Amino acid sequence: MDFTTTRYTLTSAKISKAMTILVLGDLHNAQHGRDNCDLLAACRREKPDLVLCVGDMSVGVPDAPFDGAVHVLGSLAELAPCLGVDGNHATKLKTFGDGSYERYESAVASAGVRVLHNRSCSLSVCGNPLLVTGLELPADKYRKMRIPHMSQQEVLSLIGGIQDNDRYHILLAHNPQFMDRYFAWGADLVLCGHFHGGILHFGNGRSLVSPYGLPFPKYGYGLFTRNGQNGIVTSGLGEHTLPFRFTKNNPMEIVVISVQKAA
């Protein structure tokens, strides 16, 4: 296999029974085995209770096929409830004005995946009450060769405040650049992708370069913890724009999170 499985164990007082969350992102139409059979076999072995996708399973290129990405998403939705958020490539599809995004969105929905467009979804997983929110950023937050700014008020204007603090709250936000804002918003767990691990990453969770073309992003890869909150940035499963990585120091991955009751 040309990807690995990265595992994290988290605890929360809001969890009564352990649950397994499978996280994928940034496939960019890549193939891991014929029809992604290797990828899907690895996902099935984990027997997840919830599947979350952090965006960019396809690519934002005119006339690019997306049936492979939809096949993967549909197969994942057969394993467990599957929710996701759009990344910058899906956002780019919306600018073409040729119905590309609408066709993609319809295919993903038909595959059984719920994409959260700046919305929240309440559900119960293993008896645990969850609230999953998807944050979609505007295109200007992805412009290259500059450090973008995002205020806390902008976050609130897109997704509002947390409404139910008794639920374990997960925020899906493709772009980890604004992790400080996500933590301040108040999610128990933040899941991101987009940076592809930064070509290579170091032992302290830092990465070499971000998709902005700027070095040493603060939240390039891995697990980040603040005041009992957790943020995880996956290196993803494919490549685009910067189509290479040092695989020894930055392998492609699926992420498996075991969330357990706090002692």
Side-chain angles (χ1 to χ4, degrees):
M1 292 190 300
D2 54 355
F3 63 93
T4 189
T5 300
T6 302
R7 303 180 187 279
Y8 300 96
T9 299
L10 309 177
T11 61
S12 173
K14 298 179 181 180
I15 297 300
S16 59
K17 183 179 179 181
M19 61 182 179
T20 299
I21 302 174
L22 175 67
V23 183
L24 302 91
D26 296 283
L27 181 65
H28 292 297
N29 287 339
Q31 290 286 323
H32 298 279
R34 184 174 181 179
D35 294 329
N36 271 302
C37 61
D38 293 342
L39 171 61
L40 293 173
C43 293
R44 292 185 184 106
R45 284 194 294 271
E46 298 302 327
K47 298 181 180 179
D49 301 304
L50 177 66
V51 180
L52 299 175
C53 295
V54 294
D56 282 1
M57 299 297 278
S58 187
V59 295
V61 176
D63 301 319
F66 50 73
D67 52 328
V70 172
H71 167 66
V72 169
L73 290 168
S75 299
L76 294 173
E78 294 175 357
L79 302 179
C82 184
L83 293 83
V85 69
D86 280 342
N88 55 301
H89 280 257
T91 298
K92 190 174 182 180
L93 282 179
K94 297 175 185 178
T95 68
F96 296 156
D98 60 358
S100 295
Y101 179 77
E102 289 75 13
R103 291 191 295 273
Y104 175 71
E105 181 181 42
S106 177
V108 169
S110 296
V113 179
R114 181 169 181 180
V115 178
L116 301 173
H117 302 288
N118 289 325
R119 293 291 186 271
S120 297
C121 175
S122 299
L123 69 164
S124 177
V125 176
C126 298
N128 303 303
L130 307 185
L131 194 62
V132 181
T133 299
L135 171 62
E136 290 185 9
L137 300 182
D140 67 331
K141 303 303 181 185
Y142 292 101
R143 290 177 185 168
K144 294 180 174 27
M145 303 312 297
R146 70 181 182 93
I147 299 177
H149 172 75
M150 187 168 191
S151 69
Q152 202 65 45
Q153 186 57 44
E154 286 180 278
V155 174
L156 292 172
S157 70
L158 290 170
I159 55 176
I162 292 180
Q163 300 299 316
D164 189 346
N165 284 319
D166 293 330
R167 290 177 175 266
Y168 187 77
H169 205 130
I170 302 172
L171 176 65
L172 308 180
H174 181 66
N175 190 345
Q177 178 68 32
F178 310 105
M179 185 70 78
D180 288 328
R181 300 301 186 193
Y182 307 154
F183 278 142
W185 185 71
D188 299 292
L189 174 61
V190 181
L191 299 173
C192 305
H194 187 51
F195 280 15
H196 298 188
I199 298 181
L200 66 84
H201 52 253
F202 311 102
N204 63 352
R206 299 292 295 277
S207 298
L208 179 63
V209 65
S210 77
Y212 295 103
L214 303 173
F216 308 118
K218 183 178 180 181
Y219 297 106
Y221 171 81
L223 171 65
F224 304 90
T225 300
R226 177 184 298 179
N227 298 326
Q229 299 166 281
N230 295 288
I232 294 175
V233 183
T234 174
S235 65
L237 286 158
E239 302 297 347
H240 199 271
T241 307
L242 293 174
F244 61 93
R245 63 171 79 196
F246 294 100
T247 55
K248 182 178 180 180
N249 298 90
N250 183 27
M252 299 182 193
E253 67 178 8
I254 61 173
V255 170
V256 178
I257 306 170
S258 175
V259 187
Q260 304 177 1
K261 181 179 179 178

